[in-house]
Amino acid sequence: MTVRTKQQTYLNYINGQWVPSASGKTEASLNPANIDDIVGYVQESGVEDVNVAVEAARRAQAAWRKLSGPKRGEYLFRAADVLKKRLDEIAETMTREMGKTLPEAKGEVQRGVNILRYYAGEGMRSIGEVIPSTDSEALMFTTRVPLGVVGVITPWNFPVAIPIWKIAPAIVYGNTVVFKPAQETAVTAAKIVECFDEAGLPAGVVNLVTGKGSVIGNAIAEHPHIHGITFTGSNEVGKTIAQKAVARGAKYQLEMGGKNPVIVLEDADLDRAVEATISGGLRSTGQKCTATSRVFVQRTVYDQFKEKLLAKVKQLNIGNGLEDGVWMGPCASQKQLETVLSYIQKGIEEGATLVYGGQRLTDGERAKGFYVQPTIFENVSPDMTIAREEIFGPVLALIKVDSLEEALSLANDTPFGLSASIFTQNIGKMLAFIQDIEAGLVRINEESAGVELQAPFGGMKQSSSHSREQGRAAIEFFTAMKTVLVKG
C-alpha cells in the first residue's frame, strides 16, 4: 500500500468562505489502517469560531427562510449531483479516515446522494392542512416554520450519511446550520461541505467548524442563538447536551447508544440467521449504533448455530479497507481499539467463555493499524458488563434461551431500545416479537443494522430523545407548527 506524501490542510467554512480557526492550530487526521498515512490536517477551533459561524447563520437565515421550498430543494438537487460526481473520491477519503471498507464507503456516499434527492423533493411537499373553524366566515389552517439556526453534531462512524440526513432536512425546511463533525472524520466532513459550496448554496446557510467536542459541541449547546440541536453520539454527551438545551429553552434531538439483540428460534433458517448476525454485528467493525451485540439462541439449535457462526467468522478477511477482498477494517482510532480490548478483557474477567478472537492483530502491515479480531463469547449472563454496556466493536455475546418469552425478557432487560431482530418462520411469534420488543427499529428475518432513508429512525428508552430522524418524520424536529385563523 502506497502511503500518500501530500497532505492538505482543511479549513473551517463560515459565511461561504474557507477560513482558518482563530487559534491557527491544526490537528492531523490519521488513517486507522496505517497511522503513517496522514489523511489531512483539520482546524482545532474554539468558541470564537463558533460565535462567528452562528452569526453568519443568523444573517443568512432571514433570506433563506423566505425562499420557497422548491427553490431550496433545487440547491439540494445540485448538491446531490456534485456528491455523485465525487463519489469515488469521497468514499476513498472515508475509508482512509475511519477504516470501513471501500465498498461500504461507496454505499454510504451513494446513500448520501439519495438522501439529498429525497429531501430536495420534500421542498414540494405539504407543510400544513386546513382545519374547519367553528366560525363559518373564517379560514383556519396550519403551516410549518423553521426553527432558525440549528446545530448539527455528528459522529465518526457514518461520516457522510448522518451529517447529510441532518443537514438536508434542516435546510430544506428553511433553517441554517452550524455543523460540528467528529474530529476523527473532519476531512470527510469538509468534502461534504465542498459539495454544498460547489452547488452554489448561499453564504451562511451551512457553516462548518471543526475541533474538540468538549469545546465546539459545548459552545453549540450553550449558544443563545442556536435554536435547535441535533446530535448523534454517546449517551453521556447526549445527556449533557439535553441539559444545556433545556436550561435555555432550545429544541434538541438525540440519537445515542444501543445494545441490540437478535433472537434465533428453533424454526429459523440458521444459515440466513448466521449471515445476518455476522453482517449486523461485525460489518463496519461493529461500529454502528444498530449493530447486533447480544445473540439469543434457542437451546435446541444453539450448538448448530454456533458451529455455523464460527465457521463463517473464521473466514473473514481483516485488513486495510482499500484493499480488494477485505471484509472488515480496523477500529476507527487508538481510543476505540483500547475501548474494545478493555471490554473483551472485562468479559474474560467476569467469567464469560471466549470462544473466538479477542486479540489485537499486529502482524505485517496490520502492525501500523488499530486492528482487532472479531470476538465471540458464550456463557454470558445478563448481568455481565459485555451484556449490558455498548461496546461499539466487533464483539458478539451468545446467550442460550429456552423460549421466545425468555428471549424477550432478556432482550428487553437493558436501558437501551434502538434496534432488534428475530429469525423465525412462525407468524404468531413474529407478531409477538413486534408487539413486545422494546425497540424503535424492529426487523424480522433480517439483521438488526440498517434503515431505509425514507423511513423514520430512532430508539426507545435511553437510545434517543424519542424524536425520529429521516423520512417524512424529520419535519417534526426541524420545524415548529403555526396555527393561523383568517377572517375578512
Side-chain angles (χ1 to χ4, degrees):
M1 181 69 58
T2 301
V3 177
R4 293 157 179 80
T5 56
K6 181 180 179 182
Q7 294 89 29
Q8 181 176 340
T9 296
Y10 293 84
L11 305 176
N12 290 334
Y13 183 76
I14 298 176
N15 200 34
Q17 301 293 321
W18 293 98
V19 295
S21 63
S23 70
K25 295 179 180 178
T26 61
E27 181 179 347
S29 180
L30 304 180
N31 183 345
N34 181 353
I35 59 173
D36 288 343
D37 179 18
I38 298 174
V39 184
Y41 293 92
V42 296
Q43 302 302 304
E44 195 171 308
S45 306
V47 174
E48 180 180 343
D49 301 291
V50 174
N51 292 339
V52 174
V54 173
E55 184 56 34
R58 286 184 70 198
R59 290 196 304 269
Q61 211 267 325
W64 181 249
R65 69 179 295 167
K66 289 181 180 179
L67 285 183
S68 68
K71 285 292 185 183
R72 293 193 294 260
E74 288 176 8
Y75 286 102
L76 294 189
F77 276 125
R78 290 202 288 270
D81 291 342
V82 176
L83 184 60
K84 180 68 175 179
K85 180 180 66 177
R86 297 181 59 182
L87 188 150
D88 289 343
E89 168 214 342
I90 293 176
E92 181 178 342
T93 299
M94 186 196 309
T95 294
R96 287 178 61 209
E97 197 167 33
M98 67 78 56
K100 69 175 58 178
T101 65
L102 189 57
E104 286 183 270
K106 288 183 177 180
E108 183 179 336
V109 179
Q110 180 59 53
R111 182 176 179 180
V113 173
N114 296 343
I115 292 168
L116 285 167
R117 289 174 176 165
Y118 175 90
Y119 283 111
E122 277 291 291
M124 298 286 287
R125 296 285 295 273
S126 168
I127 57 170
E129 60 181 354
V130 175
I131 303 170
S133 171
T134 56
D135 186 339
S136 62
E137 296 181 351
L139 170 65
M140 187 163 61
F141 62 93
T142 63
T143 187
R144 287 186 174 273
V145 295
L147 300 179
V149 179
V150 173
V152 173
I153 304 174
T154 61
W156 44 259
N157 60 328
F158 286 93
V160 170
I162 292 179
I164 288 177
W165 86 44
K166 294 177 185 290
I167 293 171
I171 63 177
V172 84
Y173 296 134
N175 302 283
T176 53
V177 164
V178 176
F179 170 32
K180 184 262 180 280
Q183 195 74 339
E184 293 90 340
T185 50
V187 172
T188 304
K191 289 181 179 290
I192 296 171
V193 175
E194 286 174 358
C195 294
F196 284 110
D197 182 56
E198 190 174 335
L201 198 69
V205 174
V206 171
N207 303 275
L208 169 73
V209 181
T210 65
K212 289 182 170 61
S214 59
V215 177
I216 309 305
N218 189 63
I220 287 173
E222 294 182 340
H223 202 289
H225 297 305
I226 289 184
H227 307 101
I229 304 163
T230 175
F231 166 83
T232 298
S234 72
N235 284 66
E236 180 183 1
V237 175
K239 290 176 182 178
T240 299
I241 288 172
Q243 291 167 354
K244 293 179 182 297
V246 167
R248 60 182 186 82
K251 197 172 183 180
Y252 65 91
Q253 175 186 68
L254 312 175
E255 289 301 334
M256 300 176 289
K259 194 64 181 172
N260 312 299
V262 57
I263 296 173
V264 181
L265 298 184
E266 59 188 359
D267 66 336
D269 180 334
L270 293 185
D271 290 325
R272 186 174 177 183
V274 164
E275 290 288 350
T277 299
I278 292 171
S279 180
L282 306 180
R283 197 176 290 279
S284 292
T285 322
Q287 298 170 141
K288 298 180 181 180
C289 56
T290 54
T292 300
S293 179
R294 298 172 296 154
V295 187
F296 299 98
V297 186
Q298 201 157 7
R299 194 177 301 273
T300 50
V301 293
Y302 178 87
D303 289 338
Q304 189 179 356
F305 176 87
K306 185 179 88 170
E307 181 181 350
K308 289 176 177 287
L309 181 71
L310 285 170
K312 290 283 188 180
V313 170
K314 289 176 181 177
Q315 295 173 8
L316 300 181
N317 185 13
I318 317 302
N320 190 316
L322 292 176
E323 296 177 354
D324 292 338
V326 168
W327 192 91
M328 190 180 95
C331 294
S333 65
Q334 176 76 34
K335 178 182 177 182
Q336 193 59 31
L337 172 68
E338 291 172 355
T339 296
V340 172
L341 292 174
S342 71
Y343 274 111
I344 292 170
Q345 184 59 36
K346 180 73 75 171
I348 295 169
E349 291 172 356
E350 292 183 359
T353 303
L354 180 62
V355 178
Y356 180 78
Q359 300 295 317
R360 181 176 182 178
L361 297 172
T362 58
D363 56 310
E365 292 188 0
R366 294 189 293 201
K368 294 183 178 181
F370 307 130
Y371 297 98
V372 64
Q373 289 176 300
T375 302
I376 300 172
F377 282 100
E378 66 177 353
N379 297 321
V380 179
S381 63
D383 60 338
M384 289 181 179
T385 302
I386 60 170
R388 302 206 64 80
E389 297 183 10
E390 184 178 40
I391 299 172
F392 224 62
V395 182
L396 296 171
L398 305 185
I399 302 170
K400 295 178 185 176
V401 294
D402 291 313
S403 65
L404 172 60
E405 293 71 24
E406 181 186 6
L408 280 167
S409 177
L410 293 173
N412 287 334
D413 182 20
T414 173
F416 301 106
L418 185 51
S419 68
S421 67
I422 190 172
F423 285 82
T424 181
Q425 303 303 313
N426 186 296
I427 297 296
K429 291 178 179 178
M430 292 180 193
L431 294 175
F433 177 77
I434 293 168
Q435 178 70 29
D436 295 335
I437 194 69
E438 296 169 356
L441 178 62
V442 179
R443 316 255 288 171
I444 312 298
N445 293 321
E446 185 56 276
E447 67 178 77
S448 66
V451 64
E452 296 192 39
L453 64 92
Q454 70 275 23
F457 173 68
M460 297 179 177
K461 299 191 280 190
Q462 293 188 30
S463 286
S464 91
S465 57
H466 309 288
S467 61
R468 292 294 180 262
E469 296 188 279
Q470 298 199 88
R472 185 70 176 154
I475 198 171
E476 298 294 336
F477 176 75
F478 289 107
T479 65
M481 185 176 287
K482 183 180 289 187
T483 302
V484 181
L485 187 139
V486 181
K487 188 169 181 179

